[in-house]
Amino acid sequence: MLTIRPFEIEDRDEALLARTELDADDFDFLLGYSFRRGFDEYLDQLNAHEQGLGLPDGWVPSALWGAYVDGELVGRTCIRFELNDYLLLVGGHIGYGVRPACRRRGYATEILRLSLEQLALRGIEKALVTCDEKNTASARTIEANGGVLENIVQVGEERTMRFWVPTS
């Protein structure tokens, strides 16, 4: 059974390994992480961001949580509780990723489902979830959670599919 939860200090080594693994996909697994500050400080930062405190310019209140199966870190989710102009255009409410060795097991679908539940708890009835037009696996994941394609937008060379998904 897959669960999502805030990262804890005990997750440090696996989270940093996942960061390295997903760097090959140009996916920022630990948004805003800096080796200079260390993992303890990073956890404090994540907690503050979830409360809307100390946000960098252009950021919104959000939760960056790990996804676990039997204690193993298989992926992560970033659940954004508000949308700014950029997120409304191409970023969406939820950004998720699955470690390469854990793909094709339905984890992305479950991570997205659980993330949608978190938005529902905050009174958000439908979520914007986006993916690159070429990422057919992600599009199928979004559709499996009830996503309906609104449109495809182009920013520079990137074409982004924008789906609206009910949260409950």
Side-chain angles (χ1 to χ4, degrees), residues 24-98:
D25 293 342
D26 200 27
F27 183 84
D28 192 356
F29 190 81
L30 296 175
L31 293 169
Y33 178 75
S34 166
F35 281 106
R36 267 185 307 112
R37 287 190 318 236
F39 204 72
D40 285 353
E41 246 183 78
Y42 181 64
L43 295 179
D44 291 340
Q45 173 186 310
L46 292 180
N47 184 46
H49 288 182
E50 197 165 334
Q51 298 173 50
L53 304 172
L55 296 170
D57 287 342
W59 287 44
V60 299
S62 61
L64 185 76
W65 291 358
Y68 300 86
V69 174
D70 296 325
E72 176 189 359
L73 179 64
V74 300
R76 69 96 160 137
T77 184
C78 182
I79 307 164
R80 301 171 193 108
F81 304 119
E82 298 174 12
L83 295 178
N84 59 23
D85 290 342
Y86 171 79
L87 295 173
L88 184 59
L89 182 64
V90 296
H93 281 100
I94 301 168
Y96 56 90
V98 175

Side-chain angles (χ1 to χ4, degrees), residues 5-167:
R5 63 164 173 79
F7 286 107
E8 299 172 354
I9 193 62
E10 295 80 17
D11 301 319
R12 178 187 177 277
D13 292 344
E14 278 299 301
L16 293 176
L17 182 58
R19 179 180 189 250
T20 301
E21 293 168 358
L22 284 150
D23 193 48
D25 293 342
D26 200 27
F27 183 84
D28 192 356
F29 190 81
L30 296 175
L31 293 169
Y33 178 75
S34 166
F35 281 106
R36 267 185 307 112
R37 287 190 318 236
F39 204 72
D40 285 353
E41 246 183 78
Y42 181 64
L43 295 179
D44 291 340
Q45 173 186 310
L46 292 180
N47 184 46
H49 288 182
E50 197 165 334
Q51 298 173 50
L53 304 172
L55 296 170
D57 287 342
W59 287 44
V60 299
S62 61
L64 185 76
W65 291 358
Y68 300 86
V69 174
D70 296 325
E72 176 189 359
L73 179 64
V74 300
R76 69 96 160 137
T77 184
C78 182
I79 307 164
R80 301 171 193 108
F81 304 119
E82 298 174 12
L83 295 178
N84 59 23
D85 290 342
Y86 171 79
L87 295 173
L88 184 59
L89 182 64
V90 296
H93 281 100
I94 301 168
Y96 56 90
V98 175
R99 296 173 76 175
C102 300
R103 293 179 181 158
R104 293 198 161 101
R105 299 182 198 175
Y107 295 154
T109 301
E110 186 66 3
I111 291 169
L112 179 54
R113 185 186 72 75
L114 294 171
S115 299
L116 290 164
E117 285 181 0
Q118 291 299 313
L119 288 173
L121 291 172
R122 297 240 183 172
I124 298 169
E125 295 179 6
K126 64 180 183 173
L128 177 63
V129 184
T130 67
C131 67
D132 185 278
E133 184 180 38
K134 295 175 186 167
N135 191 341
T136 57
S138 191
R140 283 193 308 271
T141 294
I142 298 166
E143 289 168 342
N145 276 281
V148 176
L149 180 66
E150 179 179 64
N151 60 7
I152 299 172
V153 297
Q154 184 160 346
V155 177
E157 298 293 313
E158 302 295 318
R159 291 177 51 86
T160 301
M161 300 174 75
R162 299 174 69 251
F163 295 84
W164 287 98
V165 188
T167 60

